[in-house]
């Protein structure tokens, strides 16, 4: 494929991914409004919720993306899939626990990876009607407006989200949060890693970090931050696509602090 053919096929993919994220978001929004939240709380493990909407939304996204690009592979959080050289990596609803509890902070996350490099990242927050989109080398936008990370460099004024999951023991998470508080930062955990990363890209917070996230939670948001001028760690190293990895996306000024707090090697 020539360089320009490849550029236009990525343009097409970005356009389709944005439309699919909005369509999937509308389905999730309707389901959220209908959901009797108390009854929606079924678990597949400790603090790990099962929602019918996750599977339904993922089926829709898969059908639309593979319908438009039949040679691409697809991997979704719910039903899995395969990893070809051109692969869509999808979290149908990130922030599942929020959704199940009636908290309107969740999103659709869609990334496209070509030859182990993220090329497209799209995140849609259906309850706020916010569409975050990035293409490598072309910048990142929120509802069409160009985004940039926060210019703030002082830890004592920073707001950092530190994600948590039951996949790792608590002690390193507590040490990470303790390190950030000692530096003067304010720390939150809002329950959707993908949306947390999108907020960094838009300069709403100064950083998002988590000691382990899966690729479907992380890839779209990390590309948004990179394209908005932030620092991101090399998530795809050590087979991050299949195994997940530590995640850091932040303003360049806060990189050293958060790398040290996370005890990240190779940075
Ligand atoms: C989780 C959320 C959470 C993050 C976890 C993820 P889910 O995904 O993004 O904020 O801390 O690492 O597993 O279960 O809501 O799809
Ligand atoms: Ca997720």
């Amino acid at each position: 494929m020539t360089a320009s053919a490849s550029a236009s096929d990525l343009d097409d993919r970005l356009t389709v991914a944005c439309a699919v994220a909005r369509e999937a978001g509308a389905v999730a929004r309707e389901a959220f409004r209908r959901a009797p939240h108390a009854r929606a709380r079924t678990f597949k493990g400790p603090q790990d919720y099962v929602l019918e909407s996750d599977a339904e939304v993922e089926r829709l996204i898969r059908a639309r993306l593979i319908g438009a690009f039949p040679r691409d592979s697809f991997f979704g959080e719910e039903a899995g899939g395969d990893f070809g050289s051109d692969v869509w990596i999808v979290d149908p609803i990130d922030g599942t626990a929020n959704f199940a509890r009636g908290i309107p902070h969740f999103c659709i996350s869609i990334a496209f990876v070509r030859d182990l490099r993220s090329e497209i990242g799209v995140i849609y927050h259906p309850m706020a009607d916010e569409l975050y989109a990035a293409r490598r080398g072309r910048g990142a936008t929120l509802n069409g407006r160009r985004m940039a990370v926060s210019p703030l460099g002082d830890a004592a004024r920073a707001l950092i989200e530190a994600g948590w999951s039951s996949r790792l023991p608590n002690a390193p998470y507590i040490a990470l949060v303790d390190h950030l508080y000692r530096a003067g930062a304010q720390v939150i955990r809002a329950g959707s890693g993908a949306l947390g990363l999108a907020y960094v890209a838009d300069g709403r917070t100064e950083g998002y970090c988590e000691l382990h996230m899966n690729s479907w939670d992380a890839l779209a948001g990390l590309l948004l931050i990179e394209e908005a001028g932030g620092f991101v760690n090399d998530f795809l190293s050590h087979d991050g696509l299949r195994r997940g990895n530590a995640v850091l996306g932040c303003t360049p000024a806060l990189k050293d602090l958060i790398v040290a707090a996370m005890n990240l090697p190779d940075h």
Side-chain angles (χ1 to χ4, degrees), residues 77 91 93-96 164-165 167 189 191-193 210 213 217:
E77 172 171 12
D91 191 342
I93 296 181
D94 185 61
T96 302
W164 174 92
S165 76
R167 293 185 295 277
R189 176 176 185 266
S192 165
E210 184 160 343
M213 261 166 110
D217 299 312

Side-chain angles (χ1 to χ4, degrees), residues 44 47-49 54 77-78 91-98 106 161-167 189-195 208-210 212-214 216-217:
K44 57 184 170 191
Q47 300 295 344
D48 201 358
Y49 292 74
D54 282 298
E77 172 171 12
E78 299 307 311
D91 191 342
I93 296 181
D94 185 61
T96 302
N98 285 342
F106 57 87
E161 181 163 358
W164 174 92
S165 76
S166 56
R167 293 185 295 277
R189 176 176 185 266
S192 165
L195 214 41
Y208 184 93
C209 53
E210 184 160 343
H212 177 270
M213 261 166 110
N214 289 305
W216 50 84
D217 299 312

Side-chain angles (χ1 to χ4, degrees), residues 86-147:
D86 275 357
V87 57
W88 295 96
I89 306 288
V90 170
D91 191 342
I93 296 181
D94 185 61
T96 302
N98 285 342
F99 187 112
R101 289 178 172 277
I103 299 169
H105 184 80
F106 57 87
C107 66
I108 319 293
S109 176
I110 300 178
F112 177 71
V113 177
R114 169 165 286 166
D115 298 329
L116 286 179
R117 197 167 85 134
S118 309
E119 296 288 352
I120 287 167
V122 173
I123 288 178
Y124 183 56
H125 182 343
M127 307 312 290
D129 190 25
E130 288 180 335
L131 184 78
Y132 299 82
R135 220 194 105 182
R136 181 170 296 283
R138 303 283 179 92
T141 57
L142 165 52
N143 289 347
R145 161 180 66 76
R146 192 78 178 234
M147 293 192 290

Side-chain angles (χ1 to χ4, degrees), residues 142-192:
L142 165 52
N143 289 347
R145 161 180 66 76
R146 192 78 178 234
M147 293 192 290
V149 297
S150 161
L152 208 149
D154 176 6
R157 294 182 181 184
L159 178 62
I160 296 169
E161 181 163 358
W164 174 92
S165 76
S166 56
R167 293 185 295 277
L168 292 182
N170 286 337
Y173 176 76
I174 291 165
L176 158 62
V177 171
D178 183 59
H179 193 119
L180 295 176
Y181 274 122
R182 283 172 195 273
Q186 177 62 261
V187 183
I188 54 167
R189 176 176 185 266
S192 165

Side-chain angles (χ1 to χ4, degrees), residues 35-64:
H37 305 304
R39 280 193 282 131
R41 289 184 208 162
T42 359
F43 293 83
K44 57 184 170 191
Q47 300 295 344
D48 201 358
Y49 292 74
V50 187
L51 285 178
E52 277 174 27
S53 305
D54 282 298
E56 181 193 348
V57 173
E58 184 170 308
R59 280 194 296 274
L60 170 74
I61 298 173
R62 178 196 286 263
R64 294 288 187 265

